[in-house]
Amino acid sequence: MMTAPDYTAHWDEKFRSRSWGRYPPEDLVRFMGRHFRAADKRAVKVLEVGCGPGANLWFMHREGFAVHGIDVSPTAIDIATARLASENAGIPSPAADLRVGHFAHLPWPDGHFDVAVDIFALCANTTHVIRQTLAEIARVLRPNALFYSKQWGTNCTGHGLGRQLEPGTFDEIPEGPCRGMGVSHFFTRAEIDALFGEFFGITAIDRVLRSDIAANQQIEEFHCQFIRPR
């Protein structure tokens, strides 16, 4: 098994030096509501890989889910832990389980989770790390569990710029949504089908293409829904 690069210092600096969104994306809210509205949420174990400072975990914890998160940045985990403790105090949800670590080596047992979430975290890696992480996510999900993932597409401003590490993966990107974010992989739909399809069944993929006029950039996103096979 190949060792994942250590991006701890890079992401610690990012989480210390910039402001991050406080709220989850609307598409994640819809996904969780659509699939778990009638569920006993306290019994639903959710894992977010690359959870950052916790905007998505904050929402899911407030909704009553049993949330778990992992991030390579101790700073991010400290921020997320403090936010849940201060803003979600008294909410009847199971205690959050937040850990520092690399999601290519998940510290949970096989079949532990009912749903996994990735919001532009896997794509901050090379393809071998992404594949390794997908295998780990599949391992810790129970059969028929769900996986929601968002990826950048190759029609994003910034794709093809900076220093190319491999096909589709770049560093030192000078513009676009991945500007200054370090290693970033941009997917085609065919690549998502092939790579994610090694581990999961595909249940839905929405392609979102929009223009950010103020920033003079184009953004392509893939909002992906998968299921862990039996």
Side-chain angles (χ1 to χ4, degrees), residues 172-191:
E172 302 167 12
I173 298 170
E175 57 183 288
C178 297
R179 177 179 178 269
M181 299 304 290
V183 174
S184 301
H185 185 81
F186 301 85
F187 281 89
T188 64
R189 169 58 196 272
E191 186 182 13

Side-chain angles (χ1 to χ4, degrees), residues 80-129:
T81 300
R83 183 178 183 192
L84 266 61
S86 64
E87 298 183 21
N88 289 3
I91 289 175
S93 301
D97 178 9
L98 308 186
R99 307 193 190 188
V100 176
H102 199 292
F103 47 46
H105 306 285
L106 294 173
W108 289 282
D110 297 0
H112 192 66
F113 295 105
D114 301 289
V115 60
V117 172
D118 154 46
I119 306 298
F120 298 125
L122 266 71
C123 55
N125 292 278
T126 58
T127 53
H128 89 263
V129 175

